[in-house]
Amino acid sequence: MATPHVARALRFFETRADAITEEQIRICSIAASPFGEQERAEYFSRKFSELGLTEVEIDEEGNCLGLLRGSSRSPLMVVSAHLDTVFSADTDFNVVRRDGRLYAPGIADDGCGLAALIALVQAIQSERIPIEGSILFVGTVGEEGEGNLRGVRHLFTKGRWAKHIDSFLSFDGPGLDRITNRALGSHRYRVEVAGPGGHSWGDFGLPNPVHAIGRAISRLASYPAPKEPRTTFNVGRIEGGRSVNSIPSEASMEVDLRSAAEAELQRLDAFFRRAVRDAIDEENATRRAGDSLLKLKVDLIGERPTGETPADSPLVELAIEATKLIGVDPHLDQSSTDSNLPISLGLPAITLGAGGSSAFSHSLDEWYDPRGRDLGLKRGLLVILGTVGVIM
Ligand SMILES: [Zn+2]
C-alpha cells in the first residue's frame, strides 16, 4: 500500500468513482440473458483492447478474455466476473438512477463485478504498476442457472489457457467482508411427465401429469431439510396443461437442490428422485384399466461440485489481510459461484464482493448502491497484486 504507484492506483478508485458507475450503467444496459451474452462479450472485447490488454479474444464458449502481461507468464491469475444474468432476452435492461441507487435487472449480480474488472484494469494500466506474474481478465458466460458454469468449465478444461492458470478470483455481487472460499454444491433437475390427455369430464380417470407433478412437489416440500449443514430445495418453475377443461398431456418442473455438505446433498437427491417415482406410481395407480401409463423423464440439468480453498491457503490469507486493511472484519463463506469449478480441480480460488451494496438480486427490483465501492476495489487490487507480485 505504501508503494507510490500502488497508492496512486488505490486513490484512482476514489477519484474515478463516478466514471466507474457510468461504465457499470453502460455494461448493464446491454442485454445478457442465459445463452445470450454475446453482445456484452463483444463490448468487453472492445474495452479490453482499448485498455491495452493483449491476446484479447472471445473463446469458443463465449467467454471474453484479455491478458495483462507481467514480466513473466507465471504465476497466471484469472480475475473474472460473469457476463450473464438470470433474466430472459425480452427483459428491459435499461438502468434507472434514483436517490443515489441504480435500478436494473443484473445491476449488482453481476454488474458491479463487471464494472470492477474494467476499473481494475484501468487502475493498473493508468498507474503503470509493474507486475511480475500475469493476469488474465475474463468475462465468463453461463454462471447462472442452466448455464451450469459452462464458461469457467471451458476455461479450465478445454480453453487454451486451461493448463496454465495458477489461481482464480471472481468478483460476484457487492459487499466488502465476504470471502467465498467454499463451494456450495447443487443438483438441478428438469422433470417431464407425459400422458394421454383428454377431456376433463369425459375422460376423467386418465392419469394426469399436472396431478403427478403436484404429488411430487408435495412429497419434496415435506423433506426435513437440516439447518446445519444448511440444506435447501426449491421448485423454481412449473409448466404444463392446455386449458381448464383439458386433462393435460404434459407437465414439467425445474428443481434446485443444495447443501453445504456433500453427504446431505446426496441424501436430499435420493429423497427427491424417490419422491418423483412414487408420485408417478401413485398417479398411475388411480387410472382405469386399459388407460396408458404416465411417462417420466428426469434430466440432471445442473451439477455444481462442492469443495473448498483451505482457510490457511495463501490466497485466502491474502484476502483476509486485505479485508482487514480496508478496515472491515473478514467473513469466510460458502456459496455457489464460478469458483466452484477451479476449487473442484484443486486450484486456489475465491469469490469476493466488489464493494457497494444491493438488494433483490435475481428479481426485477434489483438495485445497487455504489457508495463505498472504492473499498471493495482496493481490497480486490491488493489481493491481485499480492498474488501476481509487484516489481519493487
Ligand atoms: Zn452472480
Side-chain angles (χ1 to χ4, degrees):
M1 285 178 96
T3 316
H5 40 235
V6 175
R8 281 199 302 275
L10 294 173
R11 275 200 301 279
F12 177 96
F13 301 128
E14 294 168 33
T15 56
R16 298 293 298 273
D18 291 342
I20 294 167
T21 294
E22 291 305 325
E23 183 62 50
Q24 184 179 356
I25 292 172
R26 274 194 294 280
I27 294 165
C28 292
S29 304
I30 305 169
S33 49
F35 299 92
E37 304 100 333
Q38 196 181 343
E39 210 185 324
R40 230 180 239 192
E42 280 161 7
Y43 178 82
F44 264 79
S45 129
R46 284 195 301 276
K47 204 74 203 175
F48 280 172
S49 299
E50 264 171 48
L51 292 171
L53 299 190
T54 59
E55 311 200 33
V56 174
E57 63 162 338
I58 295 177
D59 69 17
E60 303 94 311
E61 193 65 45
N63 301 306
C64 179
L65 287 66
L67 183 72
L68 186 57
R69 191 192 277 262
S71 64
S72 164
R73 282 233 159 191
S74 69
L76 177 64
M77 180 184 210
V78 167
V79 176
S80 81
H82 65 86
L83 295 165
D84 58 319
T85 71
V86 296
F87 303 98
S88 58
D90 57 2
T91 306
D92 180 359
F93 283 92
N94 282 310
V95 182
V96 174
R97 291 181 92 144
R98 208 180 328 127
D99 307 327
R101 286 177 178 173
L102 310 175
Y103 290 80
I107 189 70
D109 182 12
D110 188 17
C112 66
L114 293 168
L117 285 198
I118 302 289
L120 286 159
V121 179
Q122 285 171 328
I124 298 171
Q125 292 289 62
S126 71
E127 302 308 333
R128 296 194 166 76
I129 300 177
I131 52 174
E132 287 181 11
S134 297
I135 309 167
L136 185 63
F137 287 92
V138 183
T140 62
V141 294
E143 192 274 340
E144 301 281 8
E146 288 167 52
N148 198 24
L149 308 186
R150 67 189 178 95
V152 272
R153 200 179 303 275
H154 179 85
L155 186 69
F156 280 96
T157 56
K158 299 201 195 83
R160 71 182 175 106
W161 297 96
K163 301 287 172 275
H164 306 286
I165 303 166
D166 298 298
S167 60
F168 179 86
L169 165 59
S170 164
F171 289 97
D172 201 340
L176 299 172
D177 62 325
R178 183 169 50 91
I179 301 165
T180 302
N181 67 317
R182 284 172 297 145
L184 176 62
S186 66
H187 291 177
R188 289 168 179 174
Y189 287 98
R190 181 175 166 81
V191 177
E192 290 173 11
V193 183
H199 193 280
S200 63
W201 171 258
D203 297 313
F204 182 70
L206 281 177
N208 183 320
V210 169
H211 292 190
I213 290 280
R215 291 178 193 271
I217 294 171
S218 167
R219 284 167 182 268
L220 178 62
S222 72
Y223 184 73
K227 287 205 167 60
E228 199 54 53
R230 185 169 157 81
T231 301
T232 66
F233 54 83
N234 182 55
V235 179
R237 251 163 78 88
I238 53 171
E239 262 184 317
R242 187 173 298 111
S243 72
V244 68
N245 56 349
S246 303
I247 296 170
S249 55
E250 81 294 301
S252 66
M253 64 172 168
E254 290 175 9
V255 182
D256 175 56
L257 311 174
R258 304 190 190 209
S259 180
E262 188 62 29
E264 281 300 334
L265 182 57
Q266 297 301 340
R267 200 194 316 275
L268 172 60
D269 186 279
F271 180 92
F272 165 71
R273 285 168 166 275
R274 179 166 194 102
V276 170
R277 279 197 313 272
D278 287 352
I280 299 296
D281 290 348
E282 206 173 78
E283 182 64 20
N284 275 330
T286 67
R287 80 191 196 287
R288 301 165 304 192
D291 287 344
S292 46
L293 292 166
L294 294 176
K295 284 194 194 67
L296 172 67
K297 190 161 161 274
V298 180
D299 288 322
L300 183 68
I301 56 173
E303 186 174 20
R304 296 178 179 221
T306 45
E308 70 176 310
T309 302
D312 60 356
S313 72
L315 182 61
V316 177
E317 286 191 337
L318 198 48
I320 290 171
E321 291 308 316
T323 308
K324 290 178 185 165
L325 277 173
I326 59 162
V328 173
D329 273 344
H331 167 228
L332 297 184
D333 89 344
Q334 180 168 35
S335 183
S336 179
T337 69
D338 268 345
S339 287
N340 283 45
L341 207 280
I343 285 175
S344 75
L345 298 174
L347 286 166
I350 55 171
T351 297
L352 297 177
S357 54
S358 81
F360 307 119
S361 84
H362 293 195
S363 91
L364 293 171
D365 300 322
E366 182 172 354
W367 58 258
Y368 176 73
D369 187 335
R371 271 170 289 187
R373 184 212 305 266
D374 60 296
L375 290 173
L377 298 176
K378 287 172 185 171
R379 172 171 80 144
L381 182 65
L382 292 171
V383 174
I384 294 165
L385 296 180
T387 304
V388 298
V390 176
I391 300 165
M392 299 288 178

